[in-house]
Amino acid sequence: MVTFEGLPGAVAVSHLTVYDWPAADGLRGGTPHLHLTCSEGYVVVGGSGSVQTLTATGYQETPLTPGALVWFTPGTIHRLVNEDGLRLIVLMQNSGLPEAGDAVLTLPPGRLTDPDDYRTAVALPVDAGEAVQEKTARARRDLAVEGFLALREAVEDGDPEPLAAFHRAAAALVRPRTGEWRTRWENGAATAAAATAHQLDALERGEAGHLAGARVHAERPSAYGRFGMCGRLDVYRT
C-alpha cells in the first residue's frame, strides 16, 4: 500500500510579509525571480499590493487584496509590490521546492554566466546578525530589480531575445541540481499521486482498509521572520 502523509498534493505553505523597501523605480516590494519546475500561488490575507509578471507573452500586473487567489506556472518572472502591509499565504508545488532551490533571480546578464558569481550575489549570510542579513537581502533585491526592468523594457519593445537568454542562463544554473529535485518530486507529488491511484483501485474492488490508517497532523512554524526572496517568511517543516 502506497501512503503519503504530507500536505495535500505535496503542496507546501509559508506565511509571507512582503518587504516594504523602496526600489530604484520607487516601488516597494520583493525580489523578481522565476521558478523552473514549480507552480506557485498566493492567497492574500492582509494589506494590498500587486504582483508584476513577465512571460514570453508580455508584462502583466495583477492586483492583490484580501481574499484574492493568484497563481502562475513555471517560467513566470514575478515581482511582488507592497502598497500597504501586504501579507500572503504562499502555496508551493513539489513540497516547497520554490524555497529550496527552484528559483533564479533576474540579475543583470553579467551575473548569470558564472555559477559561483551568481551564488555569491544571491547568498544570505545565515550566521550573521539581522542587520547584515537585511542589507544583503536588500542588495540582491536591487540587483534583481535592475535586471527585471531591463527584461521588461525589452519585452515591451518587442525584443524577445533578452528574456530567452535569461531562460537559457537560468536553466544552466540549476542543471546540476535536477537530480536532487527529482528525488524530492518522487518522494512528494509522485508518491501522493500514486497513493490516490492505490486508493481508487481499492475502492473499485470494494475494499476500505486504507481508511483505518487515517492520521491527523498539525504544525506550528519552524521559523519566524526568515529573510526570503520577497519578504519575511514564517516557514513550516512540511
Side-chain angles (χ1 to χ4, degrees):
M1 175 66 69
V2 178
T3 61
F4 179 77
E5 297 194 16
L7 280 168
V11 170
V13 301
S14 63
H15 178 265
L16 173 66
T17 301
V18 179
Y19 293 133
D20 62 359
W21 308 325
D25 61 355
L27 298 179
R28 297 177 296 152
T31 307
H33 62 280
L34 60 65
H35 304 295
L36 290 95
T37 64
C38 295
S39 292
E40 187 171 81
Y42 301 143
V43 181
V44 183
V45 295
S48 62
S50 64
V51 57
Q52 298 180 340
T53 53
L54 187 64
T55 68
T57 61
Y59 171 79
Q60 184 174 340
E61 189 164 335
T62 303
L64 298 176
T65 54
L69 171 62
V70 178
W71 70 96
F72 38 85
T73 57
T76 303
I77 297 174
H78 48 289
R79 177 198 185 188
L80 281 169
V81 175
N82 183 357
E83 295 173 359
D84 182 19
L86 183 60
R87 294 186 297 110
L88 314 170
I89 298 297
V90 183
L91 310 174
M92 296 167 288
Q93 193 179 6
N94 294 319
S95 307
L97 183 56
E99 288 178 5
D102 181 21
V104 173
L105 279 55
T106 56
L107 303 189
R111 307 302 298 270
L112 297 170
T113 54
D114 184 313
D116 291 333
D117 183 45
Y118 175 81
R119 282 192 292 269
T120 298
V122 303
L124 293 182
V126 294
D127 296 327
E130 182 165 306
V132 174
Q133 289 193 21
E134 178 176 329
K135 181 179 179 181
T136 306
R138 191 163 180 168
R140 75 175 183 183
R141 191 283 309 270
D142 291 343
L143 265 179
V145 168
E146 177 185 341
F148 171 78
L149 293 176
L151 290 173
R152 174 182 168 182
E153 182 178 3
V155 169
E156 292 182 327
D157 286 345
D159 181 3
E161 177 52 30
L163 181 59
F166 174 72
H167 290 166
R168 293 192 295 269
L173 285 170
V174 305
R175 184 179 180 186
R177 303 192 64 185
T178 54
E180 169 195 340
W181 296 358
R182 183 178 295 276
T183 298
R184 178 185 285 258
W185 166 74
E186 289 172 343
N187 293 335
T191 298
T196 299
H198 280 260
Q199 292 159 5
L200 290 171
D201 291 343
L203 292 172
E204 286 180 348
R205 296 191 299 268
E207 300 171 1
H210 66 281
L211 300 180
R215 299 287 185 272
V216 176
H217 301 274
E219 285 188 18
R220 301 291 297 177
S222 60
Y224 292 88
R226 192 177 75 186
F227 285 97
M229 289 176 287
C230 296
R232 303 297 293 266
L233 292 166
D234 298 343
V235 300
Y236 297 83
R237 281 189 297 270
T238 299

